[in-house]
Amino acid sequence: MTCPRAGARGFPPPRAGALFHRDSRPSGMGGPAGCLAGPGAGSRPGVDRNRGMGASTVSVFRDRRQAGEQLAEKLRGRGLDDPVVLALPRGGVPVASCIAAKLNAPLDIAVVRKIGAPHNPEAAIGAVTAEGDPLFDRGVLAWLRLEESDLAHMVATERAEARRRVAAYRGDRPATRIEGRDAVVVDDGLATGMSARAALTDLRDRRPASLTLAVPACSADAVRSLAGLCDAIVCLHTPGEFRAVSLWYEHFPQVSDDEVQHFLHQAAAGRPA
């Protein structure tokens, strides 16, 4: 199946890749599922690392489409059973759309809204889904001398926006069934990991057979912080100094609500969930 187009001219492939996964796959999702730690944690069974990891000063991916194509190749060899691909909107949707097409899997969304610091909204100190409880970085809250109650208004605002996006993106289509299936959660980059943490926590309650996080470029610290929430973390590029997601792409435009809806409609037309 052809990957939905969203790209432009060519660019060299990633210089580094990594796969972090469990030593053995659990029979279900009843208890915490452990991922192996990220780069620098020493050699562990079942870890596939390429040499050359480290900080980079140039783009690694041409665009989100190319990143999705390369992630799909990594995932195709993992023997996923009846997979379902769940994208974190908005930037994760073009990446996930390509993966879903390559895996012949349904595409759905896992909407998460970041909770920013009061005086620095871009700094994620928590995250919330449309229905779940908010998650916070308690260490950062303590450092900022904040209580969860201090952020109640922000939580309410972001939860309302998450609900709006679910309604806008999914429309009258029901949520894709997750229980008993191999679920793949996709974003376009992993910096702090707060959004991914909220998505994985929410999805575990829906009892997938397995839960994989697939991201083109990841902070090693974020990978380690998510170790107990999934069965596998598939990451193509884990630089020593991450800085920002946008640095690892040559072409990194904002993704609009209309584009998200387009990708989802296109996927639904190609393969019903």
Side-chain angles (χ1 to χ4, degrees), residues 144-177:
L144 294 174
R145 298 181 179 179
L146 290 172
E147 300 290 338
E148 291 187 21
S149 58
D150 297 328
L151 302 169
H153 177 71
M154 295 179 66
V155 169
T157 298
E158 297 304 335
R159 179 179 282 119
E161 175 60 14
R163 289 172 175 170
R164 183 199 71 80
R165 292 192 182 199
V166 169
Y169 299 157
R170 194 175 282 150
D172 58 2
R173 295 189 302 273
T176 303
R177 177 179 59 84

Side-chain angles (χ1 to χ4, degrees), residues 53 75 138-139 185 193 228 234 251 263:
M53 282 190 180
L75 291 164
R138 297 191 181 280
V185 180
V234 179
H251 183 60
F263 280 116

Side-chain angles (χ1 to χ4, degrees), residues 242-258:
F242 188 81
R243 292 183 290 177
V245 172
S246 61
L247 295 179
W248 310 108
Y249 291 85
E250 180 187 11
H251 183 60
F252 194 73
Q254 292 288 326
V255 178
S256 69
D257 281 354
D258 287 344

Side-chain angles (χ1 to χ4, degrees), residues 3 15 20 84 91-92 143 202 241 254 257 261:
C3 175
R15 299 183 304 168
F20 310 85
V84 55
W143 184 69
D202 184 64
E241 183 181 355
Q254 292 288 326
D257 281 354
Q261 291 166 343

Side-chain angles (χ1 to χ4, degrees), residues 1 69-80 99 101-104:
M1 186 177 291
E69 289 176 336
Q70 294 177 8
L71 270 176
E73 289 305 309
K74 285 278 189 181
L75 291 164
R76 286 173 80 170
R78 292 188 54 76
L80 299 173
I99 293 171
K102 295 285 188 181
L103 297 182
N104 194 30

Side-chain angles (χ1 to χ4, degrees), residues 165-259:
R165 292 192 182 199
V166 169
Y169 299 157
R170 194 175 282 150
D172 58 2
R173 295 189 302 273
T176 303
R177 177 179 59 84
I178 306 298
E179 184 174 358
R181 306 174 77 169
D182 288 333
V184 181
V185 180
V186 180
D187 204 355
D188 57 6
L190 195 64
T192 66
M194 286 303 304
S195 294
R197 176 178 293 277
L200 292 170
T201 300
D202 184 64
L203 290 168
R204 279 179 49 138
D205 291 339
R206 295 166 66 181
R207 302 188 64 80
S210 73
L211 195 53
T212 297
L213 177 63
V215 186
C218 309
S219 156
D221 287 341
V223 169
R224 284 189 287 268
S225 76
L226 297 171
L229 293 176
C230 56
D231 296 280
I233 298 177
V234 179
C235 184
L236 299 176
H237 187 62
T238 312
E241 183 181 355
F242 188 81
R243 292 183 290 177
V245 172
S246 61
L247 295 179
W248 310 108
Y249 291 85
E250 180 187 11
H251 183 60
F252 194 73
Q254 292 288 326
V255 178
S256 69
D257 281 354
D258 287 344
E259 288 174 298

